[in-house]
Amino acid sequence: MTSFDSSPTLTVWRMTLALAVVFVLLATTGWTTIQHQRGPGESRQAALASWLHGRIGHRALPDPAAPARTIAAFFRSIGPTQGAFLADAHPLVVGNLDGAPVTLRYRANRLALARALDSERDRVEDPRLSADGRHEALRRAHRFTSLMREDRQILAFDPTAGGRTAEVLGDLERAQRVSVIVPGVDTNLLTFQKTSRKFTAPAGMAQSLYAAQRRAAPGSRTAVIAWADYTAPVGVGIDAAMGRLASAGAVRLVDMTDALPGASRVSLFCHSYGSVLCGVAAARLPSRVTDVAVAGSPGMRVERAAELATRARVWAMRDADDWIQDVPHVAVGGVGHGADPVEPEFGARLLSAAGAIGHTGYFEPGTKSLHNFAAIGVGAYQSLTCASVDSACRSGISGAEGV
């Protein structure tokens, strides 16, 4: 149990409040929130089994769980022709393999998407499928078709269960600065992009941020990753109130940032439950991650920013009508995510989110929140708008003082 005050009375009161919140969530969303959606088959497991028994010439293929540097060294040793052969033979593995060349991953994921699309089309024609099942298969087929467009660069793709993916905007191999968007609850393949309210979905968030960065620094080589490559909580239920999925996702986030090509500086933009994940990952992030910015955060599973044990600058913002402010910022018996990052005593650099509306409006064009995200992403700290009238959020950053 974690206590945020030495007063026994206050501790008991907070525990009671936190448990009450959990019971309300369970009553309104049900225990089904901890059940995992199931997709057609266990294709990822089959792909891994095939890879582990595969060879290239007389050489065994590397363990997919090996460090990114080991994977990178392997692909350098076999050259582009044999690398392409492996991408074509094992697309669902190579497309998700941290350390494999980025362009090879794009190639592999296009092939994996094509196979997944064929599978969904077969499901649509299956007379045994229920009406709801057919509707979902049609939606998945539509999503896969969209992700396969020639202008899209898919860094990760796994259709298993609710599905995971990541998309790159810009030239990731040549980028000097890379921004990674880490989204929150209800993130899966079907919600990765939206036609209505597009900037509330990871793909739209990335498009908005990339455009804002190009306006802020036209000559800068930047890339943005919409990173929906973890299993997110389904709904505002018990999984969203606990850290299990954040812990699993944190491992994936650390591996991904560590495997990025080149020597680019990396900024993380973590929304809602994504900020929980970023908090769990913080201490293990590579040194190339210079900034971690959270918006609409329920907490980062610590009481103070210093406890994140990261050398990255920690930023926080919340707009005035974000409902997340009404969630108790407590942590009792694994439930809840700790202190509020926008409280001054937390110790984050506080940014303005003026113009953003509600819990999902932080990436809307024209908002101060998007402006601030773009400024961090391109290193234009002197143009940041702090939450207060002074420039406290810019203090101690070279080149950002005296603005």
Side-chain angles (χ1 to χ4, degrees), residues 149-163:
R149 285 200 327 252
E150 288 295 328
D151 61 336
R152 304 189 74 167
Q153 302 175 131
I154 306 304
L155 185 66
F157 170 71
D158 182 358
T160 307

Side-chain angles (χ1 to χ4, degrees), residues 12 14 16 20 58 77 100 105 115 127 132 149 153 180 194 196 200 206-207 260 287 292 313 322 363-364 380 383 392:
V12 171
R14 284 176 168 167
T16 303
H58 297 294
S77 72
R105 292 181 66 172
R115 293 183 182 182
D132 287 344
R149 285 200 327 252
Q153 302 175 131
V180 181
K194 297 179 182 178
S196 176
T200 67
Q207 292 166 15
L260 289 173
S287 59
V292 176
R313 288 174 286 266
D322 188 336
F363 290 85
E364 286 287 339
S383 67

Side-chain angles (χ1 to χ4, degrees), residues 309-330:
T310 178
R311 287 180 287 179
R313 288 174 286 266
V314 180
W315 310 82
M317 66 170 70
R318 186 173 66 214
D319 68 61
D321 60 354
D322 188 336
W323 58 260
I324 204 74
Q325 64 189 308
D326 297 322
V327 172
H329 285 85
V330 296

Side-chain angles (χ1 to χ4, degrees), residues 60-345:
L61 304 182
D63 185 346
R69 61 182 178 275
T70 301
I71 301 297
F74 169 80
F75 277 96
R76 285 195 300 269
S77 72
I78 65 173
T81 300
Q82 289 185 313
F85 171 80
L86 287 179
D88 294 349
H90 304 276
L92 203 56
V93 176
V94 175
N96 296 283
L97 204 53
D98 288 326
V102 168
T103 53
L104 207 59
R105 292 181 66 172
Y106 296 160
R107 173 188 180 124
N109 284 320
R110 189 170 298 280
L111 291 170
L113 278 160
R115 293 183 182 182
L117 177 59
D118 288 342
S119 176
E120 294 302 331
R121 285 172 172 166
D122 289 342
R123 290 184 70 216
V124 170
E125 300 301 322
D126 189 341
R128 298 168 297 177
L129 202 62
S130 67
D132 287 344
R134 184 169 290 103
H135 176 67
E136 182 183 355
L138 285 169
R139 291 181 65 200
R140 286 169 65 94
H142 176 76
R143 177 64 66 246
F144 299 160
T145 300
S146 177
L147 292 173
M148 286 176 64
R149 285 200 327 252
E150 288 295 328
D151 61 336
R152 304 189 74 167
Q153 302 175 131
I154 306 304
L155 185 66
F157 170 71
D158 182 358
T160 307
R164 301 191 301 254
T165 192
E167 180 178 13
V168 175
L169 301 181
D171 187 342
L172 189 59
E173 290 181 304
R174 297 179 63 248
Q176 296 169 319
R177 292 183 176 272
V178 175
S179 297
V180 181
I181 295 172
V182 184
V185 299
D186 288 329
T187 296
N188 55 48
L189 277 171
L190 293 182
T191 61
F192 182 70
Q193 64 190 58
K194 297 179 182 178
T195 302
S196 176
R197 302 174 66 238
K198 67 178 290 185
F199 302 120
T200 67
M205 291 175 179
Q207 292 166 15
S208 182
L209 181 59
Y210 186 58
Q213 289 182 352
R214 289 168 68 84
R215 290 192 298 269
S220 179
R221 298 203 304 268
T222 64
V224 176
I225 302 175
W227 191 78
D229 193 25
Y230 81 103
T231 300
V234 179
V236 187
I238 189 63
D239 270 344
M242 302 186 75
R244 179 178 63 87
L245 295 180
S247 295
V251 174
R252 302 180 67 83
L253 180 63
V254 170
D255 288 346
M256 187 276 293
T257 53
D258 197 41
L260 289 173
S264 56
R265 296 184 178 184
V266 179
S267 300
L268 305 183
F269 300 96
C270 317
H271 176 245
S272 192
Y273 189 83
S275 69
V276 183
L277 190 159
C278 289
V280 175
R284 290 168 284 158
L285 292 170
S287 59
R288 70 192 306 175
V289 178
T290 59
D291 298 272
V292 176
V294 302
S297 175
M300 301 180 74
R301 301 194 75 79
V302 293
E303 287 191 73
R304 301 286 186 271
E307 295 174 19
L308 294 171
T310 178
R311 287 180 287 179
R313 288 174 286 266
V314 180
W315 310 82
M317 66 170 70
R318 186 173 66 214
D319 68 61
D321 60 354
D322 188 336
W323 58 260
I324 204 74
Q325 64 189 308
D326 297 322
V327 172
H329 285 85
V330 296
V332 178
V335 178
H337 303 304
D340 187 345
V342 300
E343 289 297 325
E345 56 266 30

